[in-house]
Amino acid sequence: MIIGTTLRQGGLIASRTSKCRSSSAALLPQSPLCTALHRYIDQSTSSSTSTTVRNQQQPQHSFFSTAIIPVSKSHYYPKQPPIQQFLHHSFHASSSLLQSDAPVNNVKSEEEEVVVNGGISPSLRAAIIADLKSVDFDGNGRIDADELQALLGKYNDTFSEGEILELTEIFYTSTGAASVEIYRFMEALDAAASDKSTSGGGETADGEVSPLAVKGAFKTHPLGIGTCASEYMFTKTHGKYTEEDLNIEATHVPPVTFSDKTALFAVKCVRFVFDTATLWNFGSVTKNKILYRAIFLETIAAIPGMVAAIIRHFRSLRNMSRDGGMLNMFIEEANNERMHLLTFIRMKEPGYLFRAAVIGSQFGFGTFFLTAYIINPNWCHRFIGYIEEEAVHTYTKILKEFDNAEEGSELYMWKEEDAPKIAKGYWHLGEYGNVHDVMKAVRADEAEHRDVNHAVSGVPDDAVNPLYDPRAKLDGMLRKYVNDIMKKEASKQAA
């Protein structure tokens, strides 16, 4: 029987099927897929040979957590022999069982209300199918990007307009502008409801799908999406900080390796020298001290992100390979630091001697960091993570000085001044945003850079950006959608 030609990872399934057919009966229990296949064949021999798939004829088996779809006059299964339908669905729904020796003994009766693997119950499944069919405008049993946008638009209390546009664009690019069958959409929703990992697979240089090592994870994402979008999509709206976002804690990542310890030691040395040279810890904190310190540091802080982006850009060109999306994130980080600078120079214009010091420091630090990043990128990201920890401490001290300033003092008057126009626009501070609001937003930015650089230190060069993975983005969308429709269905039943 020719099986593999119509299935993703067909070779793996065909191999397991061949072994199952050739194994003795005594060996069947050792293979969950073979056991389920054996039962399925036995139960399907007496079923109708009609091509119409009826829900009540399918055994309520754990392997069918993604295959039990209420159908009416039309259905969404491809016209395949029953054995191929079984293999297609069991491949996605049973990867955790394929990697374990657990026996298959959770067959449910048709009368039971089953929630398989923590997924979606049949009653909720019916509601979701009806919802998906309502936006299937061309009636082909598939969902494309425009129809997904219409679907999410029905839940504008859950998804903002910006989220809908971003998610629709990710879906369009990640599927290669293709549409997705409704039954596959249901597979993805099942995985989201079960909190399964669907974001661990990736594409190799040959375009093949790399199998996952994580138990319970899909070999490929149920929607068939890839990671192309990460190469050119990265969105970060700095201005939409909530009060919770602005409540920053001064965290610290303890050094573990020798490399981490040298990075932390280097940061402490630089901080000591700079604080001593600028008399930061001597005397009172004044407006001029704050602005000179902030302006000088921001002219240097914008260097690492751009250096990292340039090196990753050249490596991608040289190796003719993908970057994984971190290049865009580092460019955005560098530009964010530049926006800090452009904000502060609206409050104070530096003199020629100060500008000369900036040029010399940029040349020295830029050369050092470029060389270090070529040799050891992980050390550099850990180094910047510790630098940003110190930046958070600095802006926290400034905010405390603002809060403790006596009414009528220089700092008290300054913190109440209107924020520069560029700052109000960039951080969405509102018409009455002031300098105090600017400092809180800048501190939130520095805390994000701290967390980002610590997170990517040690990440392989060819990995997808862990902070902007299109698969994880769509998984989050699916979970929010399932949770929302569950609440609405519960409200209907309670009414």
Side-chain angles (χ1 to χ4, degrees), residues 274-299:
F274 187 74
D275 285 353
T276 303
T278 59
L279 303 178
W280 178 249
N281 294 321
F282 298 92
S284 59
V285 176
T286 65
K287 175 182 176 180
N288 278 341
K289 263 190 176 181
I290 292 173
L291 285 176
Y292 277 130
R293 183 183 184 87
I295 292 173
F296 185 86
L297 289 178
E298 297 300 348
T299 62

Side-chain angles (χ1 to χ4, degrees), residues 18-284:
S18 176
K19 291 180 181 179
C20 175
R21 292 172 61 89
S22 61
S23 299
S24 64
L27 296 178
L28 283 176
Q30 298 179 4
S31 172
L33 178 59
C34 293
T35 303
L37 178 58
H38 178 74
R39 290 177 179 172
Y40 179 80
I41 294 174
D42 289 343
Q43 293 173 3
S44 63
T45 52
S46 59
S47 62
S48 173
T49 57
S50 172
T51 57
T52 302
V53 179
R54 301 187 184 278
N55 184 51
Q56 63 270 23
Q57 291 179 341
Q58 297 178 358
Q60 298 286 348
H61 193 281
S62 64
F63 283 116
F64 288 88
S65 60
T66 56
I68 305 173
I69 302 177
V71 291
S72 54
K73 293 182 180 180
S74 61
H75 61 83
Y76 304 107
Y77 294 105
K79 293 183 178 180
Q80 300 172 340
I83 183 61
Q84 290 190 15
Q85 293 177 19
F86 170 80
L87 289 172
H88 176 80
H89 294 294
S90 63
F91 170 72
H92 291 284
S94 62
S95 56
S96 61
L97 292 177
L98 290 177
Q99 301 175 55
S100 69
D101 297 325
V104 181
N105 56 4
N106 53 346
V107 180
K108 305 292 183 180
S109 65
E110 293 183 358
E111 291 78 12
E112 292 184 51
E113 182 82 355
V114 184
V115 180
V116 184
N117 294 330
I120 302 172
S121 66
S123 59
L124 181 59
R125 187 184 302 276
I128 294 176
I129 284 291
D131 204 29
L132 294 174
K133 288 175 66 177
S134 70
V135 297
D136 182 16
F137 303 125
D138 47 14
N140 63 351
R142 304 174 71 91
I143 298 295
D144 59 26
D146 291 335
E147 291 165 341
L148 177 64
Q149 184 173 355
L151 177 68
L152 299 181
K154 297 167 62 176
Y155 299 87
N156 52 17
D157 54 338
T158 301
F159 301 96
S160 66
E161 183 178 350
E163 286 178 319
I164 293 174
L165 292 176
E166 179 187 9
L167 290 168
T168 303
E169 181 67 14
I170 291 176
F171 180 84
Y172 179 86
T173 57
S174 299
T175 58
S179 57
V180 174
E181 299 95 332
I182 287 183
Y183 80 89
R184 285 176 59 194
F185 206 94
M186 290 301 303
E187 289 181 354
L189 290 172
D190 260 325
S194 310
D195 201 27
K196 277 189 177 181
S197 170
T198 58
S199 305
E203 294 179 2
T204 65
D206 298 327
E208 298 294 330
V209 178
S210 301
L212 297 180
V214 182
K215 288 189 176 182
F218 284 87
K219 301 290 183 182
T220 60
H221 195 286
L223 295 181
I225 65 175
T227 59
C228 297
S230 64
E231 293 299 314
Y232 55 89
M233 288 185 67
F234 180 79
T235 58
K236 168 61 183 172
T237 305
H238 286 275
K240 299 301 175 70
Y241 285 132
T242 64
E243 283 300 320
E244 184 179 359
D245 295 331
L246 295 173
N247 186 21
I248 301 299
E249 294 184 3
T251 61
H252 173 63
V253 175
V256 177
T257 65
F258 176 76
S259 177
D260 293 346
K261 293 176 182 178
T262 59
L264 180 59
F265 179 75
V267 169
K268 293 298 184 181
C269 290
V270 171
R271 169 102 197 208
F272 175 78
V273 172
F274 187 74
D275 285 353
T276 303
T278 59
L279 303 178
W280 178 249
N281 294 321
F282 298 92
S284 59

